[in-house]
Amino acid sequence: MLTLTEISKGYGGRDLFADVSLQINRGDRVGLVGANGAGKSTLFSIILDHNSPDEGSVTRERNMSLGFLPQETAPKGDETVLETATELTSEVQKHRKMIKAHDADESVDDDAYHTALARMDELGVYLAEPKAKTILRGLAFREEDFHKPLKSLSGGWCMRAHLARLLVMEPDLLMLDEPTNHLDLESVIWFQDYLQNFPGAILTISHDREFLNCLVHQIFELRHRKLNKYNGDFDHYLVEREERHRKHVQAYENQQKQIEQMRRSADKFRASARRSSQAQNKLKQIDRMELIEAPESDEGTVSFRFPQPERVGQHPVRLHGIHQSYGDHVVYRGIDFECTRAQRMVLVGPNGAGKSTLLKIIGDIIPFQEGERQLGHNVKIGYYAQNRTDMLRPSRTVLEEVMAMEKPVPEQLARTILGSFLFRGDDVFKPISVLSGGEKSRLALVKQLLDPPNVLLMDEPTTHLDIPSIEALIYALKQYEGTLILISHDVYFIRSIAENVLHISGGELTFYPGNYDYYLEKTKSGARAGLTAGTRELTNARPEDAAATQAKVDKPRSGRKTKEQKRKEAEERQARSRKKKESTQGIASAEKRIAELETRQEELVQFLQDEAHMTDGAKAAATQQEIGEVARKLQTAYSDWDRWSQIAESIG
């Protein structure tokens, strides 16, 4: 389907990669990995024909469709979220503009208008809407978001809308550049599951190890200007890469020993006039050898110690009776929260549940309407969010920024820690103004860790970081002795760091006194249903009380049901039954209506295609008008079917 043959590319006299070959077949799931600057995005741009290789060729299967999700994108017009998700081709955009102009009473010819409506139906736009809505919901959009202008949303939400468009389009090859960067944890899990049944091939750049393990069957690594192929997921790639490196080192060392022995023999033979020919033969043998390249050394394990924060009391932060709302939207109503010294907690829950809001309340970043926030003795709070990079001085160099910190550090320590976050050699003299988003994020992390607070709040700290940087951050946080509360979509990062989980949903906090796998076990095993009745017992719970509370919630309950309980359950069953019957009838009615309208639509299109009717302009115009009316009715019928299907799904 796609073949790259001996591709080479360089910039400014520096080779990014040389003699790179790659083949992707239908149904392949391929991950492209490598350090920042290795050339992954450049290789993508060559595949997309946005860039040309210096040498080599790119061969694409004829009529192959290709969809690409870049790391950043921006709205180009006034398109809504739903329009973006169903904008399958540029032709759709053209017809959509014409229809909008006509509906706004602008000077658009009626014939052109009805032709556009009919063509939109032929392209399957109206059929795509139910699918687009399902995908948008999976990516955490709400129903009321569908008709919002895309330009009114943040960059992260724009990316989600474009991702939905690609999933609706279902191209033969789906190319994704860091697709999980702007997704929350629950959306990442939904996205991983959805891609399991995606019909096309997938090629993705990602720093998310868990995402790669769940999705890909092959890893291609750009490293030292070469592209190396590994079968299997990311974990298998790590093991196989280490084994290949070990064998390469061994083979290189063996060959070097052999060459050294042959040279010593040649030196001895030169001393004898009778054996000088043998000396020449030895040297010729060396010249004819196919030399094994010297292994390029990997960066060693980070081995420094970060400064540690001052010690605080047992409970650094307490919240009591916190009320928080944005306009009419109530986020929290009277919640309590507290954390303990040296605790490592991750906040999880659906998008919009209030995770970032809670983090900002703890950090005193935003005010709250009611309640009390108490800090323990000597508490210093640090808040790290994606906009943390705004605190950097663009006019300074990387090293100057670190050396200008309020708490001075020795230059050697500063350069050592900068090196662990991939600022090596002359990189420390780069002006901050020329750094990429990922480099600025790494520098902000270095500053945070060189003068650490005793309560560290981190909102999506791994966004824009590559895998080596994430590993360096994990190493640093494992040394950190303060309290850590974080939000992350990176499951590998969460598993490496978090020791407790706080689930936030519906304005309530549920504490799980174990790591992320403990949380998954409790929620997947059906204990979540049992926890519902006991949520208020876990809500606002102190971590040290949570184990006892959890045991209490998990304890089986006995005793007979009261008459009131039985009556209430019977009423609920009857209500569900009525609702289920109503939804079943609604689905059947919508399906019948869709079938009738689709049949009528086919009849009208066939009528227009009949040459015998093309000469009757008035009749053709009337037919086109009816096609437009049928298309509108079909759209309504599809929406009705989608609504009843959601109701039926919610009943179970």
Side-chain angles (χ1 to χ4, degrees), residues 29 31 212-213 216-219 230-237:
R29 301 285 191 265
L212 291 171
N213 278 334
V216 306
H217 308 142
Q218 292 178 347
I219 293 285
Y230 299 83
N231 290 321
D233 60 17
F234 188 84
D235 285 345
H236 183 271
Y237 142 77

Side-chain angles (χ1 to χ4, degrees), residues 94-358:
K94 181 185 74 173
H95 293 314
R96 188 170 268 147
K97 284 181 179 178
M98 182 177 291
I99 293 167
K100 277 188 172 182
H102 182 275
D103 291 344
D105 294 327
E106 296 181 18
S107 55
V108 174
D109 179 71
D110 283 348
D111 288 346
Y113 168 70
H114 294 302
T115 301
L117 285 173
R119 183 62 181 147
M120 289 276 277
D121 185 62
E122 289 176 19
L123 292 169
V125 176
Y126 302 120
L127 286 172
E129 281 198 9
K131 181 179 179 181
K133 288 179 178 178
T134 299
I135 291 170
L136 288 169
R137 290 189 198 98
L139 294 172
F141 283 96
R142 296 166 299 182
E143 198 82 25
E144 56 265 33
D145 297 327
F146 291 171
H147 300 291
K148 287 181 180 177
L150 197 62
K151 65 184 180 183
S152 69
L153 305 180
S154 68
W157 286 101
C158 289
M159 293 302 299
R160 293 188 191 212
H162 283 287
L163 176 56
R165 176 179 60 83
L166 294 176
L167 297 180
V168 173
M169 184 195 303
E170 292 188 351
D172 296 323
L173 175 59
L174 178 62
M175 296 176 62
L176 306 169
D177 193 349
E178 300 290 4
T180 63
N181 262 359
H182 297 288
L183 301 181
D184 59 279
L185 180 59
E186 304 227 347
S187 297
V188 169
I189 293 170
W190 177 89
F191 183 43
Q192 287 174 179
D193 290 342
Y194 189 90
L195 289 181
Q196 299 300 321
N197 298 312
F198 186 78
I202 299 173
L203 174 62
T204 181
I205 298 171
S206 181
H207 66 253
D208 190 325
R209 291 175 58 152
E210 189 74 14
F211 178 74
L212 291 171
N213 278 334
C214 288
L215 180 64
V216 306
H217 308 142
Q218 292 178 347
I219 293 285
F220 281 86
E221 180 196 38
L222 262 177
R223 187 162 173 259
H224 302 321
R225 301 170 298 283
K226 296 178 181 177
L227 187 67
N228 300 305
K229 178 182 175 182
Y230 299 83
N231 290 321
D233 60 17
F234 188 84
D235 285 345
H236 183 271
Y237 142 77
L238 289 177
V239 174
E240 179 65 20
R241 186 184 71 172
E242 184 63 29
E243 179 62 16
R244 289 189 193 181
H245 180 70
R246 185 188 65 78
K247 289 180 177 178
H248 184 187
V249 170
Q250 187 178 49
Y252 173 77
E253 290 176 348
N254 289 340
Q255 187 180 63
Q256 290 301 305
K257 288 178 184 177
Q258 182 184 3
I259 291 172
E260 183 60 29
Q261 289 172 352
M262 293 171 73
R263 281 180 176 153
R264 282 201 300 267
S265 298
D267 290 341
K268 288 179 182 178
F269 293 155
R270 280 200 196 97
S272 169
R274 291 186 306 109
R275 307 185 70 179
S276 60
S277 61
Q278 289 177 283
Q280 291 299 318
N281 288 337
K282 288 289 183 184
L283 294 174
K284 287 178 181 178
Q285 278 183 264
I286 294 173
D287 290 339
R288 288 196 295 268
M289 289 178 71
E290 186 175 342
L291 296 179
I292 298 171
E293 288 186 26
E296 298 196 45
S297 61
D298 291 327
E299 297 299 328
T301 304
V302 182
S303 58
F304 56 82
R305 291 286 300 174
F306 279 96
Q308 293 301 329
E310 295 183 50
R311 188 175 175 84
V312 295
Q314 180 63 22
H315 299 289
V317 182
R318 282 188 169 104
L319 304 178
H320 298 289
I322 296 294
H323 288 252
Q324 178 69 331
S325 61
Y326 300 102
D328 295 333
H329 176 56
V330 177
V331 183
Y332 295 118
R333 186 180 283 111
I335 63 160
D336 296 340
F337 169 88
E338 69 180 32
C339 56
T340 58
R341 183 177 60 236
Q343 186 174 14
R344 296 162 181 270
M345 179 191 297
V346 62
L347 310 184
V348 302
N351 189 73
K355 300 185 293 295
S356 292
T357 297
L358 180 61

Side-chain angles (χ1 to χ4, degrees), residues 562-573:
T562 65
K563 288 183 179 180
E564 178 62 22
Q565 286 175 319
K566 291 180 180 179
R567 182 190 62 77
K568 191 174 180 181
E569 288 179 359
E571 288 177 352
E572 288 173 349
R573 284 196 299 272

Side-chain angles (χ1 to χ4, degrees), residues 430-444:
K430 279 184 179 179
I432 290 171
S433 58
V434 305
L435 298 183
S436 67
E439 288 172 324
K440 289 177 181 176
S441 293
R442 297 202 307 269
L443 181 55

Side-chain angles (χ1 to χ4, degrees), residues 11-70:
Y11 289 106
R14 172 178 170 253
D15 287 337
L16 273 179
F17 43 78
D19 295 328
V20 160
S21 295
L22 166 71
Q23 181 168 331
I24 297 179
N25 301 312
R26 292 190 177 277
D28 280 353
R29 301 285 191 265
V30 180
L32 180 61
V33 302
N36 281 348
K40 301 185 297 296
S41 294
T42 301
L43 190 62
F44 259 39
S45 70
I46 290 173
I47 294 172
L48 292 162
D49 205 20
H50 297 166
N51 205 336
S52 300
D54 297 335
E55 296 178 13
S57 62
V58 180
T59 306
R60 301 175 188 84
E61 189 177 285
R62 189 176 181 183
N63 299 324
M64 181 190 81
S65 59
L66 193 152
F68 171 54
L69 182 77

